[in-house]
Amino acid sequence: MDGNLLALVAASVAFVGTHFAMSHPLRAGLVRMLGEKGFQGVYSLVSIGTFAWMYLAFKDAPATTPLWPGFGDVSWAIGTLVALVAMVLFAGSLLGRNPALPMPGAEAAARAEPAGVFRITRHPMMWGFALWAVSHIVAAPTARTLVVATAILVLALVGSHLQDRKKQVLMGAAWKEWESRTRYWPRWSALASAGFLPWAVGLVLWLALSWAHLPAGGIPAGLWRWIG
């Protein structure tokens, strides 16, 4: 295996591993040592540092040819549409009252009726990341893309399950009530009921981030593949 690709694997494992370790087995001890704000600061620094390492390693890894046949405009179009749904879920997770986020009123939000993207899944942010990963595997199935996308996919889907367990401990009955009225696996038929604002903001994010692929990575993405 190419040395730069090995470095990307190492960076991706570090990014996912530190997230899991700091969010779960190490969290309680670190919070006792550092306090909640100190823990959040360290967590953010580690996340930013490992993500930057992964990004730089991705740029250094060879941009090989696709690993399987059939890559072209059709797979690119499918990946682009999947990425749009990912952005809608991500936007909706921030625009609505998200009980999973460490914010005041999280327990009250967990006891409220699910609305917007939370009618689709109780983990819209995580599923947004997962769909982002899937969209890249479909649109650009190269070795370096598979490494990063697989890391994000594992972080999102396994992280969602671990988050449920953590929130059951931290929020007790409120989270269990939220679980009883929401779903881990998305109900895709509810996408239309996500609301105007998540779709509008998601569309803007989708256009902006796909445009940013070219200056950031040298690869035109989304609609810009055809109109750039």
Side-chain angles (χ1 to χ4, degrees):
M1 184 184 289
D2 178 88
N4 288 330
L5 192 60
L6 276 174
L8 178 59
V9 171
S12 301
V13 169
F15 179 69
V16 174
T18 53
H19 267 75
F20 284 159
M22 296 183 71
S23 296
H24 302 286
L26 300 181
R27 187 182 190 281
L30 288 172
V31 170
R32 283 195 299 270
M33 288 174 52
L34 305 172
E36 188 65 42
K37 288 186 178 179
F39 167 74
Q40 292 295 336
V42 170
Y43 184 93
S44 298
L45 286 174
V46 172
S47 298
I48 292 169
T50 52
F51 182 81
W53 179 20
M54 187 168 66
Y55 169 72
L56 293 173
F58 178 86
K59 290 192 72 174
D60 288 339
T64 55
T65 56
L67 298 178
W68 53 76
F71 172 73
D73 284 349
V74 173
S75 60
W76 195 276
I78 293 170
T80 297
L81 291 175
V82 172
L84 172 59
V85 176
M87 290 299 100
V88 172
L89 291 176
F90 178 75
S93 73
L94 297 176
L95 294 168
R97 298 178 65 199
N98 188 347
L101 297 179
M103 63 178 188
E107 286 197 23
R111 297 185 185 279
E113 187 65 25
V117 294
F118 298 100
R119 295 193 185 102
I120 302 167
T121 172
R122 66 175 165 274
H123 296 293
M125 181 180 290
M126 294 295 205
W127 273 99
F129 292 146
L131 290 184
W132 175 92
V134 170
S135 73
H136 283 70
I137 292 171
V138 171
T142 63
R144 66 177 187 172
T145 299
L146 283 176
V147 170
V148 172
T150 300
I152 299 300
L153 196 60
V154 170
L155 179 62
L157 299 187
V158 177
S160 296
H161 275 297
L162 294 176
Q163 186 181 74
D164 279 338
R165 291 167 56 184
K166 180 176 70 176
K167 292 296 182 179
Q168 287 170 6
V169 173
L170 295 176
M171 296 175 62
W175 189 262
K176 289 181 180 178
E177 185 178 338
W178 182 243
E179 285 184 315
S180 71
R181 290 182 286 107
T182 55
R183 292 163 52 103
Y184 169 82
W185 295 104
R187 183 186 292 111
W188 298 119
S189 60
L191 264 176
S193 64
F196 170 77
L197 199 54
W199 274 99
V201 175
L203 180 61
V204 172
L205 284 174
W206 177 65
L207 289 170
L209 292 176
S210 57
W211 174 86
H213 267 68
L214 188 57
I219 301 171
L223 296 176
W224 313 107
R225 174 182 171 94
W226 297 286
I227 64 176

